[in-house]
Amino acid sequence: MPAPRTFHLTRHLKLRVDQRELSVDSLKDVIKCPDWRHQQRRGERGGFVYRFEKTVFEGKTLVVVAEVKKSECWIISGFFI
């Protein structure tokens, strides 16, 4: 799957970025180059919702849930596990 070129932030994500001390750039990086990707379901916009994971620093894994359709990506949520 080629990396998306256009990213959109959902309302849910805009709330979670501040609450969870995430940066939008790090979320985009996980989507562009994940360690692991799993397809979840069909999305609301006609794409597929994926769960992307990447170990970012100090053994923390950043998880990003996003819908991808062609070259567009709607970032739904992000969190550390």
Side-chain angles (χ1 to χ4, degrees), residues 3-57:
R5 291 188 307 249
T6 306
F7 291 90
H8 306 279
L9 307 180
T10 62
R11 278 184 261 153
H12 176 79
L13 178 71
K14 290 176 184 177
L15 294 171
R16 299 300 176 247
V17 166
D18 292 331
Q19 289 176 343
R20 298 175 181 166
E21 299 177 0
L22 302 169
S23 76
V24 174
D25 290 333
S26 63
L27 298 174
K28 289 179 184 179
D29 183 51
V30 171
I31 294 169
K32 290 178 183 177
C33 187
D35 292 339
W36 185 80
R37 180 186 75 207
H38 181 72
Q39 184 177 322
Q40 301 288 305
R41 58 182 167 83
R42 193 78 151 146
E44 297 175 5
R45 296 165 187 89
F48 288 99
V49 175
Y50 292 91
R51 176 182 170 137
F52 300 91
E53 291 186 12
K54 184 174 185 174
T55 302
V56 286
F57 62 93

Side-chain angles (χ1 to χ4, degrees), residues 57-70:
F57 62 93
E58 298 176 9
K60 283 188 169 184
T61 300
L62 181 57
V63 176
V64 180
V65 178
E67 180 178 349
V68 179
K69 180 180 178 185
K70 297 183 182 178

